[in-house]
Amino acid sequence: MGDYSFDITKSCTLLPLNQEIISLDFSCGDEDLDDFFHNHALPYAKEHLGKTYVLLSNDTQRSEIVAFFTVSNDSIKTTFIPKSSTNKVQRKVPGLKHLRTYPAVLIGRLGVNKSYQGKGLKVGRQIVNYIKLWFLDEDNKTGCRFLVVDAYNKPEVLAFYEFNGFKYLYATEEAEKEATQISSEGLHTRFMFLDLLHTSII
């Protein structure tokens, strides 16, 4: 993918989460993400609501979870979003193929072990690139035009996804609150999307 000092494709093994792996110590420093990983990821997988994968370090001295992510099927339904948002989605799709629903994959959760944060290792960026390549591969079993995420409405999280090519489906928080009928003062998450056919691996 890129030239990284810690390359997840060489330094880690990607595995579906299972009962043995979940018993390993792991924390990304976010209570919600840690709670999901330890208490909800396996039930989600059992009910086919989301599939969680882990990156295990190849270090033979210890078995360590470097990061995890959860993906599931989703879509962008243009009949339920404002015209301005629809234009964003359809802008680079050929006119004869405009649809009411566009296939997407949701990155439901993404957490990096605290030991691998803030050291310039760029594990999160590599994971996003890895997921992009999954669905750009010619051997992918299903059509998927977009990646989507309900990103935590925190400056550092939003900046991470923006850097990785994601755009806001709704131009402002107020527009998103109105469209999703959320009446609270602030949004917990912002819905963002990435067009897989017009993205780059960074």
Side-chain angles (χ1 to χ4, degrees):
M1 291 185 290
D3 186 15
Y4 299 105
S5 59
F6 179 84
D7 189 333
I8 63 171
T9 63
K10 299 175 182 177
S11 302
C12 303
T13 299
L14 182 74
L15 295 170
L17 182 65
N18 58 40
Q19 197 64 54
E20 181 181 357
I21 294 173
I22 207 170
S23 65
L24 299 174
D25 184 49
F26 174 81
S27 176
C28 67
D30 183 285
E31 290 185 8
D32 289 341
L33 287 174
D34 287 346
D35 177 63
F36 174 82
F37 178 80
H38 291 290
N39 300 309
H40 304 291
L42 281 179
Y44 263 56
K46 183 178 180 180
E47 296 297 327
H48 293 256
L49 298 175
K51 183 85 170 183
T52 295
Y53 295 88
V54 296
L55 288 164
L56 283 183
S57 172
N58 290 336
D59 188 339
T60 57
Q61 300 300 313
R62 57 177 178 171
S63 186
E64 185 174 42
I65 300 172
V66 174
F68 82 94
F69 63 91
T70 304
V71 288
S72 60
N73 294 327
D74 206 333
S75 64
I76 300 177
K77 296 178 174 62
T78 59
T79 52
F80 298 109
I81 60 178
K83 181 67 174 177
S84 58
S85 297
T86 299
N87 290 339
K88 289 182 183 180
V89 172
Q90 295 181 336
R91 188 171 296 148
K92 294 184 178 180
V93 179
L96 295 178
K97 297 182 181 179
H98 284 176
L99 307 172
R100 293 182 178 180
T101 301
Y102 290 89
V105 162
L106 171 71
I107 302 176
R109 301 289 194 283
L110 194 166
V112 178
N113 190 322
K114 288 190 295 185
S115 299
Y116 292 83
Q117 296 177 19
K119 299 178 180 179
L121 303 180
K122 303 172 183 174
V123 173
R125 181 193 303 181
Q126 292 183 70
I127 290 174
V128 173
N129 285 337
Y130 196 95
I131 296 171
K132 289 178 184 178
L133 290 171
W134 261 4
F135 297 100
L136 287 171
D137 193 297
E138 292 182 357
D139 291 330
N140 182 35
K141 300 299 187 295
T142 185
C144 172
R145 178 64 188 251
F146 296 97
L147 292 183
V148 295
V149 61
D150 278 310
Y152 286 142
N153 194 8
K154 300 177 181 179
E156 64 276 14
V157 177
L158 298 177
F160 167 79
Y161 282 106
E162 284 187 272
F163 181 84
N164 283 281
F166 285 78
K167 302 180 185 301
Y168 298 102
L169 185 63
Y170 304 94
T172 65
E173 287 192 40
E174 288 303 315
E176 187 162 350
K177 285 168 61 176
E178 181 178 348
T180 54
Q181 299 182 338
I182 294 177
S183 58
S184 59
E185 291 185 5
L187 288 175
H188 181 58
T189 61
R190 295 293 308 276
F191 190 87
M192 305 178 78
F193 74 99
L194 178 148
D195 187 337
L196 282 165
L197 294 191
H198 298 277
T199 188
S200 58
I201 307 301
I202 55 176

